[in-house]
C-alpha cells in the first residue's frame, strides 16, 4: 500500500492556506493511504519559539487536525520530537546532501532575508530534516502546498544519492508530491504577490482557523481587491492577483472550479461576492473552530493521541533506521 507522510509546523496562526493546501487534502486522503501526519516541532525551532507557546501550539495544531476530520486511530498523528529517528536520519542526510543543493533553496533565502549570517544552521539544513521525516518511513507520497515542491525535489535527490553512494538501488523511494485542489497556493489578503503565511505580521493578511465569524467577515471585507467587477472567465483574472485569490479561495471551499464560480458571479461587484465568500468561509471553518475549542481543553486526550502516535510511528521507522545504520557501516552491538 502507498504510504503518505506530511507535516505541519506548530508555529501558531494556522490559516486557510494551510487548510486548503494541506490539511483538507490529508483528511480526504486518509482513507486511501496508510497515513502519517506529523506536528513538526523540530522544524519549528529553526526560528525562535517561546517554550510555553510552543507547547501550547503543538497541542493546538493536534486539536485542529482532529477537528478537521483526521482520525488519529486510523492514521498516525504525533509530534516529531517524540520520535528520535527523524533527527538521527537527518544527520546522515546532512552528510549526503551537498551545500550547493541547499544554497538553491528559495525558502531559506526568503526566511533568512538580509540577515542571512544570523539565521540558525537548522533553518539552513531544514530540507535535510524534511527529507528524513519522509524517508524514515519510506513514504511514497507527500501531500503539500506548492511552496514545498522544491523541498520535495531535494528529498528525491537525497534518496537517489544515498541509494547510489551505498549501492542500494531502490532502498529509499523517490517520493512523489501530491499537490491537490484549486488552492495550492493561497495568497495574502493584503498582497496578491505574497503567499498567505503564519508569520506575516498583519493578522488581516490571513484567515486563521481559530477566527470567529465576525473576524472572518471583517478580514474578507477588508481584503484588497480592485475596482473592476468580477470577470466571466478565468482569463479575466490573469492580471488581477488579489481578485483571483478570492475567487480561487471560493472555488476551493465550494469544491468547484474557478470557471464554474465565474459563470455564476461574473459581472458582480466585489462587495456582494465578498459577503458570499465570508458566509462560505464561516460555514466551512466554523465547525472546525468549534470542535477545536472543545478538544484544546482536553490536554490529557491530546497528549495521549501524540504519545500513541509516536509509538506507532517509531515502530515503523526503527527497522528502516536499523537498516540504514547497517548500510552506512555503523556497528550496532
Ligand atoms: N499559502 C498557502 N497556500 C497553500 N498551502 C500552504 N501551505 C502553507 N502556506 C500555504 C502548506 O501548509 C502545509 C504546512 O505548512 P508549514 O506548517 O510547514 O508552514 P509553512 O509552509 O512554513 O507555512 P507558512 O504559513 O508559510 O509559515 P511561515 O509563515 O512560518 O513560513 C505545507 O504543506 C504547506 O505547503
Amino acid at each position: 500500500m502507498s504510504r503518505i507522510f506530511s507535516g505541519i509546523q506548530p508555529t501558531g496562526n494556522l490559516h486557510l492556506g494551510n487548510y486548503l493546501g494541506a490539511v483538507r487534502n490529508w483528511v480526504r486522503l486518509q482513507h486511501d493511504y496508510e497515513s502519517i501526519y506529523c506536528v513538526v516541532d523540530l522544524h519549528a525551532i529553526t526560528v525562535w519559539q517561546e517554550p510555553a507557546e510552543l507547547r501550547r501550539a503543538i497541542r493546538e495544531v493536534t486539536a485542529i487536525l482532529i477537528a478537521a476530520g483526521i482520525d488519529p486511530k486510523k492514521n498516525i498523528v504525533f509530534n516529531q520530537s517524540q520520535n528520535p529517528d527523524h533527527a538521527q536520519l537527518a544527520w546522515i542526510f546532512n552528510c549526503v546532501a551537498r551545500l550547493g543543493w541547499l544554497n538553491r533553496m528559495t525558502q531559506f533565502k526568503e526566511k533568512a532575508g538580509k540577515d542571512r549570517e544570523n539565521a540558525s544552521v537548522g533553518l539552513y539544513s531544514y530540507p535535510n530534516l524534511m527529507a528524513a521525516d519522509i524517508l524514515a518511513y519510506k513514504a511514497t507520497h507527500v501531500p503539500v502546498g506548492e511552496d514545498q515542491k522544491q523541498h520535495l525535489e531535494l528529498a528525491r535527490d537525497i534518496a537517489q544519492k544515498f541509494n547510489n553512494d551505498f549501492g542500494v538501488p531502490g532502498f529509499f523511494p523517490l517520493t512523489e508530491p501530491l499537490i491537490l485542489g484549486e488552492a495550492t497556493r493561497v495568497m495574502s489578503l493584503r498582497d496578491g504577490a505574497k503567499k498567505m503565511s503564519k508569520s506575516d505580521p498583519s493578522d488581516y493578511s490571513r484567515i486563521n482557523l481559530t477566527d470567529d465569524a465576525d473576524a472572518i467577515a471583517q478580514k474578507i471585507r477588508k481584503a484588497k481587491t480592485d475596482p473592476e467587477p468580477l470577470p466571466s472567465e478565468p482569463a479575466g483574472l490573469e492580471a488581477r492577483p488579489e481578485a483571483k485569490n478570492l475567487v480561487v479561495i471560493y472555488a476551493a471551499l465550494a469544491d468547484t472550479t474557478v470557471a464554474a464560480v465565474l459563470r455564476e458571479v461574473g459581472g458582480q461587484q466585489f462587495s456582494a461576492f465578498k459577503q458570499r465568500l465570508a458566509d462560505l468561509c464561516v460555514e466551512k471553518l466554523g465547525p472546525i473552530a468549534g470542535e477545536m475549542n472543545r478538544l484544546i481543553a482536553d490536554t490529557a486526550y491530546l497528549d495521549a493521541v501524540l504519545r500513541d502516535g509516536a509509538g506507532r510511528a517509531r515502530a515503523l521507522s526503527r527497522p528502516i533506521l536499523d537498516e540504514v545504520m547497517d548500510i552506512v557501516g555503523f556497528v550496532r552491538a
Side-chain angles (χ1 to χ4, degrees):
M1 189 184 188
S2 302
R3 181 180 282 172
I4 276 183
F5 178 95
S6 201
I8 191 152
Q9 295 192 65
T11 41
N13 295 327
L14 243 70
H15 53 73
L16 189 62
N18 297 131
Y19 179 64
L20 293 175
V23 176
R24 190 175 69 161
N25 295 328
W26 301 2
V27 175
R28 293 176 174 187
L29 291 164
Q30 65 181 327
H31 305 294
D32 302 327
Y33 291 85
E34 180 186 15
S35 308
I36 304 163
Y37 297 127
C38 186
V39 181
V40 288
D41 47 12
L42 298 178
H43 283 283
I45 63 162
T46 55
V47 296
W48 169 250
Q49 304 295 330
E50 200 59 53
E53 172 52 25
L54 179 62
R55 248 187 304 278
R56 192 201 63 76
I58 291 167
R59 293 184 177 122
E60 183 180 273
V61 172
T62 308
I64 288 178
L65 296 184
I66 299 169
I70 290 171
D71 176 353
K73 289 213 170 70
K74 183 175 183 306
N75 309 284
I76 294 178
V77 176
F78 74 109
N79 57 318
Q80 192 183 21
S81 59
Q82 289 209 75
N83 180 359
D85 292 343
H86 293 239
Q88 192 174 18
L89 187 57
W91 178 258
I92 294 170
F93 287 171
N94 281 343
C95 304
V96 172
R98 306 288 93 184
L99 274 180
W101 298 359
L102 290 180
N103 284 340
R104 286 196 287 276
M105 295 297 113
T106 52
Q107 183 171 295
F108 174 76
K109 288 180 198 160
E110 279 164 24
K111 289 202 170 178
K114 291 199 179 72
D115 202 10
R116 196 185 147 99
E117 294 297 307
N118 210 20
S120 75
V121 175
L123 189 67
Y124 185 72
S125 63
Y126 181 115
N128 295 345
L129 177 59
M130 183 166 154
D133 297 338
I134 298 161
L135 295 172
Y137 304 95
K138 294 191 176 179
T140 53
H141 296 82
V142 180
V144 280
E146 219 169 71
D147 58 322
Q148 291 299 325
K149 214 166 141 190
Q150 194 185 35
H151 288 165
L152 249 294
E153 277 158 18
L154 189 94
R156 291 161 64 94
D157 289 343
I158 290 174
Q160 184 115 53
K161 183 161 163 55
F162 182 96
N163 293 349
N164 287 344
D165 286 356
F166 292 101
V168 284
F171 178 76
F172 281 126
L174 302 185
T175 308
E176 296 285 341
L178 290 175
I179 299 177
L180 303 169
E182 280 284 332
T184 56
R185 189 174 174 82
V186 177
M187 308 310 280
S188 157
L189 299 180
R190 309 299 296 164
D191 178 352
K194 271 171 46 185
K195 78 164 187 155
M196 189 177 282
S197 159
K198 300 188 197 100
S199 54
D200 194 312
S202 166
D203 201 48
Y204 277 91
S205 68
R206 66 182 158 260
I207 293 177
N208 301 312
L209 297 184
T210 49
D211 283 343
D212 61 20
D214 287 347
I216 291 175
Q218 203 182 18
K219 285 177 179 181
I220 293 180
R221 231 182 358 260
K222 288 192 179 241
K224 190 172 166 202
T225 41
D226 54 49
E228 301 298 315
L230 283 144
S232 305
E233 289 183 8
L237 289 171
E238 271 331 305
R240 302 170 63 187
E242 285 87 10
K244 181 175 176 183
N245 191 37
L246 295 187
V247 179
V248 165
I249 291 172
Y250 189 97
L253 283 172
D255 255 319
T256 181
T257 60
V258 167
V261 175
L262 292 179
R263 270 198 298 278
E264 231 183 283
V265 300
Q268 279 185 19
Q269 293 301 322
F270 263 99
S271 49
F273 179 69
K274 281 179 168 179
Q275 186 57 52
R276 273 179 82 147
L277 178 58
D279 292 345
L280 185 62
C281 268
V282 170
E283 179 194 323
K284 299 288 180 181
L285 302 184
I288 298 176
E291 179 63 2
M292 197 278 297
N293 283 328
R294 195 184 67 76
L295 288 170
I296 197 79
D298 195 349
T299 308
Y301 166 70
L302 296 172
D303 288 2
V305 165
L306 294 173
R307 196 167 44 245
D308 172 65
R312 286 158 59 211
R314 191 137 205 240
L316 295 177
S317 61
R318 199 56 237 169
I320 295 171
L321 259 289
D322 283 347
E323 257 190 286
V324 170
M325 306 296 267
D326 292 341
I327 290 168
V328 172
F330 294 142
V331 173
R332 291 192 296 121

